[in-house]
Amino acid sequence: MYHPARILLPFALGYFFSYLLRTVNAVIAPWLTHEMGLSKAELGALTSAYFFTFALAQLPLGILMDRLGPRRLNAALLLVAAAGCAVFGLANSSTGLMLGRALIGLGVSGCLMCAIKANTEWFPLHRLPALNSWILFAGLAGSIVATLPVAWLLSQLGFQGLFMLLVGVGVLAAFIQWRVVPEPAQARPQESLRDSMQAVGQLFRQRRFWSLAPLGALVMGLHMAMQGLWLAQWLRDVRQLPGATVDHLLFQLALVATCGALLWGQVASRLQKRGIAPLTLLCGVAALNGSALLLLAWNPDWPALLLIGSYSFTAMAGNLAYAVMTARFDPQLAGRANTALNLVNFVIAFLTQSGFGYALEALQPRMPLLQAYPALLTTMAALVILSVLLAWRGRRAHGMPPPPTSAPQQVHR
């Protein structure tokens, strides 16, 4: 018998590292534009390389995770992320930066999925929303460190020194995960690669996947792109705020998002005990998330933190989609179902983070910057609302099972 912390904490550290690297762009963006001379389109393309390789890795990741297990796979990938930090920190050209960012995305591509897979192996189904929320809490703690603390480290260590420090964090996370996390006693499936790919193909043809995937992917994917870069640019371009103020707002935003990540999982677990499925909560909060995007588009004369905070706080409910997706498929397919969702999620994030900058520049000849932002944000809000309607329409056929009446199980080998 193992203490739950032995499973949760090592994966939480890995996801902390992953989220830190995902959101650090917002703070280092001024350095990249001033020192490297990158335009908005080039900045979006460079930083989105993380999402591109992350998305590419998802399908093979799901197969490998089901065959090798989350501990071995994620520990190896974290070393790739550490190597990417070294390449990024030592790069003196946009090509080198792009390569480093791509390696980072590949290396952290399994942090959340491996954590969720480990939770499904060691804990009962009804505890997953709450347990997954603790992993997300750790990740959002990484986004907090990626604001004011990283800005301070950047001023003290310089760009290269900062990323060499991150190399050490990645190696440490890989070592702890390899040495501390136990292996479950049950054997893992040893199906052929062909059978695995056929199972993935069947997954993508099922309505129970596609009724939920757009909702989870749009809420989470759009937010990753916005929090990782474009919310900061919105504060600079639309609100005309100075860099120091933006850094402080990003720090406060990360605190708000962290609270949301923890809250929604706990609320979902409590509501499920009363017979209210997490999908119901997800749809309700996602509708609020679309409304928050509309507020960003309209830009009323409200405090900036209220506008960006309400958007990030509601976006954190999107992570409930992983628990909902887990319940829709057999345990043997749980890893692949969630990595397939993550694939769609990060495709959305990649397209948004790269495409947002190109769209802003393309719209410039037709409208001023202050009108281009609302046009793009309104489009994003409409997509979120449509995905809510799609998921709500399919809720009766594909909702989560009723909560169990038995006492929660203990972690066991």
Side-chain angles (χ1 to χ4, degrees), residues 218-219 221-239 286-300 304 307-308 310-312 315 352-353 355-357 359-360 363 367-386:
L218 281 167
V219 173
L222 292 178
H223 179 257
M224 284 191 293
M226 295 299 289
Q227 185 189 28
L229 181 62
W230 293 113
L231 282 180
Q233 296 301 110
W234 181 85
L235 292 169
R236 297 182 182 108
D237 294 338
V238 177
R239 283 297 178 104
L288 295 176
N289 181 252
S291 302
L293 274 171
L294 285 177
L295 283 176
L296 284 173
W298 296 336
N299 188 26
L307 293 176
I308 62 175
S310 60
Y311 171 62
S312 282
T352 303
Q353 192 161 91
F356 204 97
L360 285 176
L363 290 172
M367 62 180 67
L369 192 63
L370 293 182
Q371 292 180 12
Y373 271 98
L376 295 176
L377 291 169
T378 301
T379 301
M380 292 162 59
L383 291 173
V384 170
I385 297 300
L386 286 174

Side-chain angles (χ1 to χ4, degrees), residues 154-412:
L154 187 62
S155 68
Q156 299 298 310
L157 304 176
F159 186 79
Q160 190 176 103
L162 169 65
F163 276 86
M164 292 306 103
L165 177 62
L166 291 174
V167 170
V169 175
V171 172
L172 177 64
F175 176 78
I176 291 176
Q177 202 151 113
W178 182 266
R179 295 289 297 174
V180 173
V181 177
E183 284 288 314
Q186 63 267 29
R188 303 187 190 280
Q190 295 299 315
E191 59 187 341
S192 68
L193 180 61
R194 180 180 178 181
D195 290 340
S196 296
M197 293 305 296
Q198 286 178 342
V200 171
Q202 292 172 0
L203 186 68
F204 275 113
R205 291 193 293 270
Q206 296 194 38
R207 289 182 61 186
R208 57 179 166 166
F209 176 80
W210 286 112
S211 67
L212 175 66
L215 174 60
L218 281 167
V219 173
M220 292 185 286
L222 292 178
H223 179 257
M224 284 191 293
M226 295 299 289
Q227 185 189 28
L229 181 62
W230 293 113
L231 282 180
Q233 296 301 110
W234 181 85
L235 292 169
R236 297 182 182 108
D237 294 338
V238 177
R239 283 297 178 104
Q240 298 290 307
L241 297 176
T245 303
V246 171
D247 289 343
H248 279 82
L249 282 171
L250 292 176
F251 177 77
Q252 294 165 3
L253 176 68
L255 290 174
V256 170
T258 301
C259 292
L262 184 59
L263 173 71
W264 296 124
Q266 305 302 318
V267 170
S269 288
R270 291 181 180 273
L271 290 178
Q272 191 175 358
K273 291 178 181 178
R274 299 184 180 185
I276 301 174
L279 179 61
T280 303
L281 177 64
L282 172 58
C283 287
V285 182
L288 295 176
N289 181 252
S291 302
L293 274 171
L294 285 177
L295 283 176
L296 284 173
W298 296 336
N299 188 26
D301 189 21
W302 296 355
L305 181 60
L306 177 61
L307 293 176
I308 62 175
S310 60
Y311 171 62
S312 282
F313 186 77
T314 53
M316 288 300 99
N319 293 291
L320 295 174
Y322 293 119
V324 179
M325 191 67 79
T326 297
R328 290 189 174 188
F329 293 93
D330 294 334
Q332 293 81 2
L333 281 175
R336 272 167 278 187
N338 276 317
T339 51
L341 172 60
N342 224 29
L343 168 63
V344 183
N345 180 4
F346 277 85
V347 167
I348 296 295
F350 165 72
L351 293 175
T352 303
Q353 192 161 91
S354 59
F356 204 97
Y358 284 109
L360 285 176
E361 292 195 354
L363 290 172
Q364 289 289 275
R366 304 176 185 177
M367 62 180 67
L369 192 63
L370 293 182
Q371 292 180 12
Y373 271 98
L376 295 176
L377 291 169
T378 301
T379 301
M380 292 162 59
L383 291 173
V384 170
I385 297 300
L386 286 174
S387 70
V388 171
L389 296 175
L390 176 64
W392 188 250
R393 182 182 177 185
R395 72 191 186 281
R396 294 185 184 278
H398 309 302
M400 287 185 73
T405 56
S406 59
Q409 301 174 19
Q410 300 296 317
V411 175
H412 60 85

